[in-house]
Amino acid sequence: MESRIDRIKKQLHSQSYKLTPQREATVRVLLENEEDHLSAEDVYLLVKEKAPEIGLATVYRTLELLTELKVVDKINFGDGVSRYDLRTEGADHFHHHLVCIECGAVDEIQEDLLGDVEKVVEEGWNFKIKDHRLTFHGICHRCHSDDGNEDKGSGE
Amino acid sequence: MESRIDRIKKQLHSQSYKLTPQREATVRVLLENEEDHLSAEDVYLLVKEKAPEIGLATVYRTLELLTELKVVDKINFGDGVSRYDLRTEGADHFHHHLVCIECGAVDEIQEDLLGDVEKVVEEGWNFKIKDHRLTFHGICHRCHSDDGNEDKGSGE
DNA sequence: TAGAATAGGATAATGATTCTTTTTTAATAA
DNA sequence: TTATTAAAAAAGAATCATTATCCTATTCTA
């Protein structure tokens, strides 16, 4: 964890940005909530617990900076807020998401499932892919508690 | 074209909605600009040309209604505005997009490239897929004017 | 035609995000 | 250490997209 902070610090320094206390607090919140997909407001509220004097605008600026540096990815599930997602270290691709339309949970798929598809697109459409966004909307494993029967959505 | 309007009209009626003049004008704008990915504001300005008295709120309401009926898809490329995209008739899947990071153009891929990937996800993650969003960000064919050589992105 | 319900127009309200101004902090040079 | 300068932050105003509200218009039915 400390080492990740250090690496992010180096990344900032290499572009002559500083890891200020506010920025560090923000990064720590992201690290501590890596599972979640926090909105700027969510991050703000969590950062406020460890650095009560921070302002919302600062959080926005920091998240924007981290997005630029590719430390986080800014994603949008269509609910009107941007969410910020720590990029897996070493991963050059954006991970995929599973959004449950029942409970709203967002799960991640770390594997890159698009290798073949990207090849087809690059060749077939003559398009040089730099990044991708793939999100599936549907019913998550918790919500259809599929224990062997096909009957989904019984009642409720 | 008329027949598509008629079918949309039937769809509305089947849920006891009416195809009012304002709604019809909105649908016509969408049909006439099927290639583009219009924002609500874009649609509003275009509809105003044929029905000057229409209000922005009505356009929003109509687009929301059409989204509910699955006549259009609401998409978001991360630029802060929602865009509305006529669903290809008969297509049960959401088409994919190619967003050029140079010129901003958005191209569509009608083919469904995710068949295999979806199978993997449904089985591997026990997730019942209802819809998907796939967008590639990169350089479009116009911007790297790749006329015949294989050498993509050498250097850069 | 009266009455009820749906839809639209105008605009206020909301909520997320960005901008602006002033203050604080950090880094450097004398 | 102290003055100088620039980057960063705080606070809140401003902006932009979207939604809600309130009232009028239209349509449908009895």
Side-chain angles (χ1 to χ4, degrees), chain B residues 121-133:
Chain B
V121 171
E122 293 223 334
E123 286 167 10
W125 278 264
N126 192 16
F127 186 88
K128 178 76 192 141
I129 295 173
K130 295 288 188 185
D131 200 359
H132 59 234
R133 302 283 149 126

Side-chain angles (χ1 to χ4, degrees), chain B residues 17 20 22-23 53-55 58 61:
Chain B
Y17 292 115
T20 63
Q22 291 90 338
R23 286 176 183 169
E53 76 300 336
I54 203 171
T58 302
R61 277 187 293 242

